[in-house]
Amino acid sequence: MLQNLTGWHFLIILVVVLLLFGAPKLPGLARSLGQSMKIFKSEIKSDTVDADPNAPAQPTTRTGHDASTPSGPTSAGPADPASKP
């Protein structure tokens, strides 16, 4: 679809945009378009990270804790270093 566009086509599009929006509004329009594209890209990236099809679903227990994390004390010691036995 865009293979047939030449330099003249882009020049005509630029003139039409200048006539529609006016020269003073173009920097604000470009800035707004850039910010919108940045937000769109970040949302797309966050959606692809959240919906990773290769990630296996982790089962949860009835208490709502993750089944892969231990519920008891770890071998690293007590959580409070001041309460040494």
Side-chain angles (χ1 to χ4, degrees):
M1 180 176 152
L2 297 176
Q3 295 98 2
N4 295 332
L5 291 178
T6 63
W8 287 107
H9 292 111
F10 288 115
L11 184 64
I12 292 171
I13 291 171
L14 178 66
V15 168
V16 169
V17 168
L18 278 172
L19 288 174
L20 287 176
F21 295 105
K25 292 185 180 181
L26 283 182
L29 182 67
R31 188 177 307 114
S32 174
L33 182 65
Q35 288 175 349
S36 298
M37 289 303 294
K38 187 185 295 185
I39 292 169
F40 181 72
K41 286 181 183 179
S42 68
E43 290 295 323
I44 292 296
K45 286 181 183 178
S46 68
D47 285 346
T48 57
V49 170
D50 291 342
D52 187 10
N54 296 330
Q58 299 227 351
T60 56
T61 60
R62 294 181 126 207
T63 59
H65 295 295
D66 189 8
S68 65
T69 58
S71 60
T74 61
S75 62
D80 187 14
S83 63
K84 292 183 181 179

